[in-house]
Amino acid sequence: IGVFRILFSKDYKFVETNNALLRILNISEKESLVKISLNDFFDDEGEFSGFIQDVEKNKSVQNRIIKINRGGIKSVASISAVLIKDEKDNNLYLEGIIEDVSEQNKTDRDRDNLIYELQTAFLFLNTPVQSFVKPVPYCKSDSKVIEAVKIISDEKSECILIVDSDDIQIGLLTESD
């Protein structure tokens, strides 16, 4: 979890951070972060403006899911922040945490896809098999091979059931046999 403190000014520059935040934001040197604005990491300018407005209005924001751009790498993060005021009630700092939830988001999507697939599968479980079953053509055991091949071809089947003179099933002949 990345921890930060930024100046609450029009630039929203970082004042302090921990190493975890550097990793989350894909920053190699802590010194370069103090020249960067929090706004630079939000993927959407409107999302950043909404975040700042909510902080000013409510004095804090908890677990807001945002899209961040980490040097060209897009990911999803959770941000929580508290507005710190000075003794004259002026906005001074914004202190907060950022947590990369990209993997959690991917896991949630995978779970949702799996649930969808299971629901689809359950729909078929209640469907009678008869609607999917195609009758298998058959021929008597004393039929000539050419007759069996003609039946398979005419029926557009891949197999034929072989029965004896009493119509008792003997075996199955496939086109690969």
Side-chain angles (χ1 to χ4, degrees):
I1 295 178
V3 180
F4 65 88
R5 175 186 278 178
I6 61 171
L7 283 174
F8 201 87
S9 64
K10 67 178 187 164
D11 294 333
Y12 303 103
K13 300 282 185 187
F14 287 92
V15 177
E16 295 179 53
T17 65
N18 68 351
N19 289 334
L21 184 71
L22 297 176
R23 282 190 300 277
I24 290 170
L25 298 179
N26 201 23
I27 301 293
S28 57
E29 296 180 21
K30 197 171 193 172
E31 292 76 30
S32 65
L33 190 61
V34 295
K35 301 173 188 164
I36 302 172
S37 169
L38 178 64
N39 185 23
D40 296 336
F41 295 102
F42 275 70
D43 197 41
D44 179 8
E45 178 72 35
E47 192 172 40
F48 179 74
S49 297
F51 169 74
I52 293 298
Q53 287 172 3
D54 285 350
V55 168
E56 286 179 315
K57 178 181 173 186
N58 302 316
K59 311 295 183 244
S60 69
V61 170
Q62 290 186 338
N63 299 320
R64 165 132 349 146
I65 301 298
I66 60 170
K67 293 177 188 157
I68 60 174
N69 187 344
R70 310 176 310 150
I73 302 168
K74 307 224 182 214
S75 59
V76 180
S78 171
I79 187 169
S80 299
V82 175
L83 183 59
I84 306 297
K85 295 181 174 257
D86 64 13
E87 57 279 343
K88 295 180 183 174
D89 205 37
N90 295 318
N91 296 339
L92 190 59
Y93 296 112
L94 188 62
E95 293 181 348
I97 59 171
I98 296 178
E99 182 178 7
D100 188 348
V101 293
S102 299
E103 282 302 312
Q104 180 182 343
N105 240 23
K106 182 184 179 306
T107 304
D108 290 347
R109 273 194 315 273
D110 290 346
R111 184 197 68 230
D112 291 344
N113 287 338
L114 183 58
I115 289 170
Y116 175 76
E117 289 174 15
L118 287 171
Q119 287 172 337
T120 303
F122 284 130
L123 286 175
F124 287 108
L125 284 177
N126 293 328
T127 305
V129 175
Q130 283 300 83
S131 59
F132 298 103
V133 175
K134 178 180 170 187
V136 177
Y138 68 94
C139 70
K140 300 283 184 190
S141 60
D142 59 352
S143 299
K144 294 181 179 178
V145 173
I146 194 78
E147 293 171 350
V149 171
K150 183 173 180 353
I151 294 171
I152 289 175
S153 178
D154 290 347
E155 296 290 327
K156 296 183 173 92
S157 179
E158 296 177 2
C159 61
I160 190 164
L161 184 63
I162 309 297
V163 295
D164 66 11
S165 58
D166 297 324
D167 287 337
I168 296 174
Q169 300 169 358
I170 298 174
L172 193 65
L173 181 65
T174 66
E175 59 182 25
S176 62
D177 290 336

